[in-house]
Amino acid sequence: THIQSNKITNNQALGPSSEGGGISIRYSSSPIILSNNLVANNVSCQGGGILVENQEDGDSQRMRNLNSEDQTFGENEIVGHSIFSSNNRLDEAVIENNTVVNNEATSYCGGILCFNTLPEIRNSIIWGNEGTGNQIHSTGIVEYSDVEGGYTGIGNIDSLPLFISSKYYLLDPLSPCIDAGNPDPLYNDVEDPNNLGYAWFPALGFLTNDMGTFGGPSSLWQYWDWPMPVEEESSIFSEFELMQNYPNPFNPGTT
């Protein structure tokens, strides 16, 4: 399952047990890759932006409630209060170069909520999401991401992303997220064929990965027909002129 380069905004899942206002993936039998998606202004009870959840059988559900130290029990590995079953475990998800902003969870975790899976979250912006708990609820790896409030992991930052558009969430040229993703060339932005060595707009800067939806090698956003900002011309009149109304068969005179 690969969900790539989508704009997912303004959805509402308002049921008392709703999960994943923008993207909800549960019980998938195939590998999960979420890349270069803009997930913004969505609402649900839990996981306002993104939910990824593994399937549990009856025994697994029962064992989740055990208050246990890290240990191995049969075919199930118990970590704290959670359990991961080798029989029905969801393949580990990859969540990379996504912008998850301004989502809301009426109950828990406004950003990215992961149950019973160990995702790799990298090169992403998770900011301004509302709900109890942190911006991310996960026991997986989070790296090279801008997470509001901070998050433990290599290369993570906690800096205002500096968006310049409330509609498309483009990055300001001074954004700390530009060229701040994983520096391995494997994660480089798409190169501008007309300006070698630089990223192809809407990615910015050099080729090092930009955090967020426009960076990285999987981005398809550069192929979109982007509306470019223009300066508005003045609408103040500088002069007036009264033109002849002839021929006007209904009103031969003008006052």
Side-chain angles (χ1 to χ4, degrees), residues 10-245:
N10 299 301
N11 299 287
Q12 294 187 349
L14 298 180
S17 58
S18 61
E19 297 175 326
I23 299 174
S24 180
I25 298 177
R26 306 177 69 189
Y27 314 155
S28 175
S29 60
S30 62
I32 300 299
I33 301 176
L34 305 180
S35 65
N36 300 98
N37 297 291
L38 169 61
V39 183
N41 301 321
N42 303 287
V43 181
S44 68
C45 181
Q46 300 184 77
I50 297 174
L51 169 87
V52 179
E53 181 178 3
N54 182 27
Q55 186 176 11
E56 295 177 324
D57 57 26
D59 290 339
S60 297
Q61 181 63 47
R62 175 178 57 81
M63 294 175 67
R64 277 191 69 191
N65 299 321
L66 294 177
N67 185 1
S68 172
E69 300 295 332
D70 293 1
Q71 59 181 291
T72 300
F73 184 84
E75 294 182 343
N76 300 299
E77 178 186 356
I78 302 174
V79 182
H81 292 205
S82 300
I83 185 166
F84 304 93
S85 171
S86 61
N87 288 334
N88 58 7
R89 179 176 173 179
L90 179 70
D91 287 325
E92 295 176 5
V94 173
I95 303 174
E96 70 177 3
N97 279 108
N98 295 280
T99 297
V100 183
V101 295
N102 297 339
N103 301 283
E104 179 183 355
T106 57
S107 177
Y108 183 71
C109 189
I112 301 176
L113 178 59
C114 300
F115 285 134
N116 301 324
T117 184
L118 297 174
E120 296 180 18
I121 301 174
R122 55 180 177 247
N123 304 331
S124 294
I125 300 173
I126 303 95
W127 199 272
N129 304 287
E130 297 183 1
T132 58
N134 298 323
Q135 297 281 310
I136 302 173
H137 175 89
S138 173
T139 53
I141 298 171
V142 180
E143 295 181 336
Y144 296 99
S145 293
D146 189 8
V147 184
E148 185 176 11
Y151 205 94
T152 301
I154 298 172
N156 292 331
I157 63 174
D158 177 12
S159 301
L160 192 67
L162 297 182
F163 299 120
I164 63 172
S165 169
S166 61
K167 184 175 182 180
Y168 293 108
Y169 298 95
L170 291 168
L171 293 176
D172 184 279
L174 298 179
S175 170
C177 298
I178 296 170
D179 295 339
N182 193 316
D184 189 321
L186 177 67
Y187 301 103
N188 275 0
D189 297 337
V190 178
E191 188 174 26
D192 185 345
N194 299 313
N195 196 7
L196 299 181
Y198 291 85
W200 199 354
F201 184 85
L204 299 174
F206 299 103
L207 293 183
T208 302
N209 186 286
D210 286 359
M211 295 176 178
T213 185
F214 304 119
S218 298
S219 175
L220 300 177
W221 291 89
Q222 68 271 15
Y223 298 111
W224 286 45
D225 183 16
W226 281 89
M228 298 300 294
V230 297
E231 294 184 5
E232 293 186 6
E233 295 183 358
S234 174
S235 59
I236 300 176
F237 292 107
S238 59
E239 60 182 20
F240 295 89
E241 185 177 1
L242 181 63
M243 305 299 292
Q244 175 58 256
N245 66 343

Side-chain angles (χ1 to χ4, degrees), residues 244-252:
Q244 175 58 256
N245 66 343
Y246 178 86
N248 186 342
F250 303 103
N251 187 10

